[in-house]
Amino acid sequence: MSEHRRKPPQPQGGGRAAARRGQPGPPSGRPAAPRGANGASDHSYGSHSQGPDPYGSGGDGREYGSRAEARRAAQRGGGRRRGADNAPSGRGRGRDQGPPDNPRFIDYPRVGKYGWRRWVPSWRLATGLGIGFVGSLVVMAGVGYALVNIPSENDAAKSQNNVYYWGDGTQMVATGTGVNRQNLTIDKIPKAMQYAVISAENKSFYKDSGVDPMGIARALANMARGGQTQGGSTITQQFVKNTYLSQDQTLTRKFTEMFISLKVGTKLTKDQIMQGYLNTSYYGRGAYGIQAAAQTYYGKDAKDLTASQCAVLAALLKGPTYYDPAGNADLDKNATTEANTARSQGRWRWILGEMHKDKHLTDADYQKAISKYPHPQGRKATRGMNGQISYMVDTAKKYVLNHSHITEAKFDQGGYQITTTFQKNKVDALTAAVKKIQKSRLNPKTKEKDKYVQFGAASVVPNDGAIVALYGGDGYENGHFTNNADTSGVPVGSTWKPYVLAAAMQDGTYNSNGEGISPLSKYNGNDHLKVRRPDGSYYLNKDNSFFFQANESDHPWGYITLRKAMEQSVNTPFVQLGVDVGMSKVRDMARSTGILEGSMAKDLNPSFAIGTSTPSAIRMADSYATFAASGKQADPYSVTTVKKDGVELSDFTKPKPKQVMDSSIANNVTDVLENVIQNGTGQNAKALGRTAAGKTGTTDENKSAWFVGYTRQLSTSVAMFRENPKDHRLLSMNGTAGTDSIHGGDIPTSVWTEYMMAALKGKNDPGFPDAIKIGKIHNEVGAPTPTPKPSITATPTPTESPSPSPSESTPSPSPTESETCRFFCNDNGGGTGPGGADGGTSPSPTDSTSPGTGGVRGNGNAGANAGDGGGLFGGQDGQ
């Protein structure tokens, strides 16, 4: 090739980059080293040439000692440049050679930076991402705003019946109006009602956009923490919520609600929003809308409501369960008539004050409105809610609300089909039994002491938990709205004693070192005894005098077996036994059988052992069913299926039975309770004519009487009490039915027997499993040791008198015991002598206060949250 066509060599000092910076090339006359001659890439020839080779390496001009060093230099100069080795000669770039030929769309990690600087976004990238995010939100908001529809108050006004079915699938009753509610135009709604909700809930109603950003932020934050969404909603948002199909507390629902609220705020006038809100709000008692509320609570049209009445209805919007003066204790034990009335009056007074402060009431109108609380009228029976159906519907509804996410407001809109466990023939039999005994024994028209007597009863299937029958009272149509089968507040008396015995057989006493004791263990059954602590001291009264436990009679029983004490319902042995076992263990035993903690007396004093607790009739029947099922407990339930629009809900699986105590313990309790019917205070139940076990109970001052008994097929409880209709306090039954006092073995046992005869008619009698001998005899501390009888005697040995207790007066001799029994001795085998008390008859000692049996009769329930109640479905129990 001709000399003039040869390509001149590239300068060693960095090629074009060096030329641009005006740096000198290699010395004249010295040829440049060919590319790659030294084994390194062209990147080894950077922009830092220093002239002739200082190392004398053959004139290649390298300033680095190795390929690795060259690579490190290249990286320091411009970062790691992928593909640079394949770049055309002279196109390599050093540290300050500017941007790459093909820059990335998103420069991250950043090229041309090293170390931590590579990972710090540039201001351009950060700004771009921020603008993109905001733009996306704007687009999403625009799409959401465009897609949502404005709710219709007329669509929301549609209501349907809830249909209840018997256990066999036949229809029991359809409840609800089944027709559309009557919506009012804004001119028919009093201004006072509008101003009441504005002053109470949304003072900025006429100024805001319909959305409370802070309220939404709080709700979202609570959901993020797993808590409840709460308060702060505007009237517009509440209107949207009322008409929104789903009440699920989810992010999707909250955002949808926000978009709808914004659209409602721009498309509807404030009067239209207020009209929609008041027409779709739930006021309790099944009343939707202001017109229904006015009729339900005051029996008048909405347009005729006074300002004072409007304030009461506005208070209901905070939560009718807790602000309806009539009370809702069947849903929540904290919603009693007294508590609700106090809450309603407090909020009513506050709302009127806010209306006056906001200039919505003149001074004169305010003084008139605040002068007297306008108490709403009481509840009324709705169509079909007569007799026991009202209480069965009440029980089933409560079960549904406590076992699902359905709100009461949503449930009362209707459209549900509920199949219950109730059996019509058994419900009719229980009602007939109560009415028969009432008619034959009570005459409230002529006898003052027969007035206000009430009954509550329930029947449960052992080893299953299904409630097949209940008796809740005289019926809604007669003004009795409290379900006596599922309320607390009525002490159970001596029907609590089986739990003391079961705990003793399972856990023993401090004297037995935890070894279970036998029902043949003996305790002092005399009247008026001091109660000894395990440390040897005695319980004291407030004045530091000794506390004495009493029996109903002063019969000198002496030291008797626990079996005999149960038979005759003697108090003193079980009070001392409860202390010896430990009242906390007695409580745990009762709880294991299904008694709710919230219905138990809080103070575990000696009286706890003889029934100061107040479980419901349903819970007592279910608890004794645990003994009938040899220690298997099943929670009570009243609903088997719930359907909505033909689709079955998945929240109503049948409770599973579980073994809560050893079968031998349960069977021994049953054996002892069989003896109560055969030889003791429950002998009236022998008329049943089949194998049965049970226990009577009578309480302090004769304010309640119980009988709880069972066969293998059914467990049934019957409670009887008197109640002041004004304040719901229990009254003494001394003199009722023409007797000095009512005992559990009298009228309650008669009702039980009448019902069980009809309910079990035609059924076989399977009996109970045999009771296997359990525990050892551990007598009460201080009990006398019997003198051994000689093997051969010439003359009859006289009956021995027990030695006196070290701390008590000398008791009378114990009755001679009989040796005829299935397993345990029947003691006297009679039961015709003076019986013991069925409940506590002495004041409680000072270290703990016994619940007053004359107190207000509460109503029990578990729910939303709130805490345990005494009824069937209390609090966190969820049953």
Side-chain angles (χ1 to χ4, degrees), residues 19 35 92 100 121 123 130 156 158 166 170 210 262 310 312 320 398 425 456 507 511 545 576 611 710 783 787 794 796:
R35 181 187 300 269
W123 68 269
K158 295 177 181 177
W166 294 101
T170 58
L262 287 170
C310 288
V312 172
K398 183 159 51 174
N425 63 328
D507 301 311
N511 187 38
S545 62
Q576 187 62 62
Y710 54 90
T787 302

Side-chain angles (χ1 to χ4, degrees), residues 278-290:
L278 293 176
N279 278 330
T280 58
S281 292
Y282 183 64
Y283 297 81
R285 303 192 194 179
Y288 275 92
I290 183 61

Side-chain angles (χ1 to χ4, degrees), residues 333 486-488 596 598-599 614-616 619 859-861 868-872 874:
K333 67 174 184 177
D486 194 24
T487 62
S488 68
L596 296 178
S599 67
T614 60
S616 67
R619 283 288 171 176
N859 296 275
N861 173 37
D868 289 336
L872 173 59

Side-chain angles (χ1 to χ4, degrees), residues 173-256:
V173 67
T175 66
T177 60
V179 297
N180 290 348
R181 301 191 300 268
Q182 181 182 357
N183 286 340
L184 300 179
T185 55
I186 193 66
D187 59 298
K188 299 289 179 54
I189 302 174
K191 281 289 185 181
M193 188 66 204
Q194 301 175 48
Y195 289 138
V197 296
I198 289 173
S199 292
E201 301 181 36
N202 186 189
K203 290 180 180 290
S204 63
F205 172 68
Y206 285 113
K207 301 175 183 178
D208 61 44
S209 63
V211 174
D212 176 12
M214 293 303 296
I216 293 177
R218 283 194 302 272
L220 295 178
N222 286 337
M223 279 192 288
R225 292 193 299 264
Q228 296 288 329
T229 58
Q230 59 186 24
S233 295
T234 65
I235 286 176
T236 304
Q237 286 175 268
Q238 292 180 59
F239 167 46
V240 170
K241 191 182 301 182
N242 290 345
T243 56
Y244 202 74
L245 295 179
S246 172
Q247 294 297 318
D248 295 336
Q249 300 294 347
T250 63
L251 287 173
T252 301
R253 197 196 71 83
K254 293 300 294 184
F255 277 117
T256 305

Side-chain angles (χ1 to χ4, degrees), residues 510-551:
Y510 77 93
N511 187 38
S512 71
N513 295 319
E515 179 183 30
I517 72 172
S518 165
L520 294 181
S521 302
K522 290 187 176 182
Y523 272 68
N524 195 339
N526 285 339
D527 183 39
H528 197 66
L529 297 182
K530 291 184 287 187
V531 182
R532 182 190 300 105
R533 301 175 188 269
D535 63 4
S537 64
Y538 293 95
Y539 283 90
L540 303 176
N541 293 314
K542 291 181 179 180
D543 59 0
N544 289 325
S545 62
F546 287 115
F547 165 75
F548 289 92
Q549 178 60 53
N551 296 325

Side-chain angles (χ1 to χ4, degrees), residues 340-465:
N340 277 20
T341 298
R343 276 190 287 262
S344 176
Q345 290 177 344
R347 189 160 177 83
W348 160 80
R349 191 175 294 107
W350 175 80
I351 289 174
L352 289 176
E354 292 299 300
M355 293 173 68
H356 182 228
K357 185 189 303 181
D358 297 336
K359 308 300 183 183
H360 297 316
L361 283 178
T362 65
D363 292 344
D365 289 339
Y366 171 71
Q367 292 300 328
K368 179 180 178 181
I370 203 72
S371 62
K372 183 179 180 180
Y373 175 75
H375 205 289
Q377 59 190 17
R379 285 192 174 93
K380 295 180 180 179
T382 57
R383 178 171 53 89
M385 296 287 280
N386 300 317
Q388 298 311 302
I389 286 179
S390 54
Y391 306 116
M392 289 185 288
V393 167
D394 166 80
T395 302
K397 174 183 176 180
K398 183 159 51 174
Y399 189 87
V400 170
L401 296 182
N402 281 278
H403 287 79
S404 69
H405 297 292
I406 303 171
T407 65
E408 183 184 10
K410 188 68 176 176
F411 186 81
D412 284 350
Q413 281 184 324
Y416 295 92
Q417 298 84 47
I418 303 99
T419 302
T420 71
T421 59
F422 301 117
Q423 298 178 17
K424 188 176 188 301
N425 63 328
K426 290 182 174 60
V427 173
D428 290 344
L430 185 54
T431 303
V434 173
K435 297 302 181 185
K436 178 180 178 179
I437 302 303
Q438 274 184 320
K439 185 177 181 180
S440 64
R441 298 293 302 277
L442 303 175
N443 191 350
K445 293 183 179 179
T446 59
K447 297 179 180 179
E448 183 67 25
K449 288 291 185 176
D450 289 358
K451 291 181 179 180
Y452 315 129
V453 173
Q454 298 186 33
F455 291 87
S459 192
V460 174
V461 177
N463 202 29
D464 183 275

